[in-house]
Amino acid sequence: MALFGLFNRKTDREIVPFKRQKSFKDIVNDMRGIIIRADWRDEYQPDEGETGVTAPDKITELNGFKNDARHHIIGKFEAIERRLAQDVLMDAPSHDEICKMLTDLAYEQNRSSAGPFLRSIAIEMRDTMFPDYIENLLRRSFVDADGQEIKAAATKTRDLESAGQRPLANPTSLFRNH
């Protein structure tokens, strides 16, 4: 019996309340918030980044990276928002499509300039707003894998992505038996 939940006496199951999906506009606003709240991490330092007296301080560097993220990431999603406002028959991208866009955007970044920040923040957006995306993607791709294999592959994916690799480009490498 569910404590403080609704309970259906006929089926002896808890009633799961309806959860509204976020609108595309809300998702874009959440993305803006993730960029605004980003703090400096050493992984953001580009390969050609200077250190020392003449180099910009980390706050200045981070603010520049945030501006780049607003342009490269938020700009793409704002363009979709404008098209949605103009074409009322156009459907907003699904959550999976948004995740794929963020993953593709992350994977196309290199190690120079704002690339490490853009890659990291795009993956952070995807994993923060849609935490089950990787597991669901792997579950759909490998239907014969069990839950433990899926969780292990998802963890391995996140570890490889944080190291700058692209495991979802070849997901079979995440599993031993596939």
Side-chain angles (χ1 to χ4, degrees), residues 3-176:
L3 185 63
F4 302 115
L6 299 174
F7 192 77
N8 185 339
R9 291 183 184 167
K10 291 181 183 175
T11 62
D12 288 339
R13 292 189 194 146
E14 185 177 358
I15 298 173
V16 179
F18 175 74
K19 186 176 180 182
R20 181 181 74 85
Q21 280 196 338
K22 284 188 171 191
S23 71
F24 187 73
K25 187 174 186 137
D26 291 339
I27 290 170
V28 175
N29 284 333
D30 288 349
M31 290 178 179
R32 284 186 190 99
I34 290 170
I35 291 171
I36 289 168
R37 288 185 302 275
D39 288 327
W40 178 262
R41 294 186 207 157
D42 288 335
E43 68 190 55
Y44 298 157
Q45 185 70 35
D47 286 344
E48 79 278 359
E50 291 182 34
T51 55
V53 179
T54 61
D57 65 299
K58 291 178 180 178
I59 300 299
T60 304
E61 193 85 67
L62 180 63
N63 287 334
F65 292 163
K66 286 180 179 184
N67 285 334
D68 290 342
R70 285 185 202 102
H71 174 72
H72 290 291
I73 298 174
I74 302 300
K76 287 184 181 192
F77 287 94
E78 285 175 339
I80 294 170
E81 254 185 329
R82 285 190 296 275
R83 275 188 270 142
L84 287 170
Q86 292 171 351
D87 185 358
V88 292
L89 298 177
M90 182 178 164
D91 289 332
S94 69
H95 290 182
D96 282 349
E97 291 170 331
I98 293 168
C99 290
K100 182 167 179 8
M101 285 188 269
L102 288 170
T103 302
D104 291 345
L105 202 142
Y107 284 8
E108 67 190 31
Q109 301 306 315
N110 57 24
R111 289 282 316 150
S112 63
S113 191
F117 177 77
L118 293 174
R119 181 184 60 246
S120 187
I121 204 77
I123 289 170
E124 183 178 335
M125 285 176 185
R126 181 197 68 199
D127 291 345
T128 300
M129 294 185 300
F130 308 104
D132 296 335
Y133 171 71
I134 292 175
E135 286 90 352
N136 292 338
L137 179 69
L138 294 172
R139 195 170 285 115
R140 283 192 305 266
S141 299
F142 302 98
V143 290
D144 58 334
D146 66 14
Q148 294 293 41
E149 286 180 307
I150 296 292
K151 286 199 178 297
T155 301
K156 186 175 180 181
T157 299
R158 288 188 180 95
D159 292 344
L160 291 171
E161 283 179 335
S162 66
Q165 296 181 24
R166 303 168 178 180
L168 292 180
N170 180 18
T172 55
S173 65
L174 298 168
F175 294 91
R176 280 190 221 125

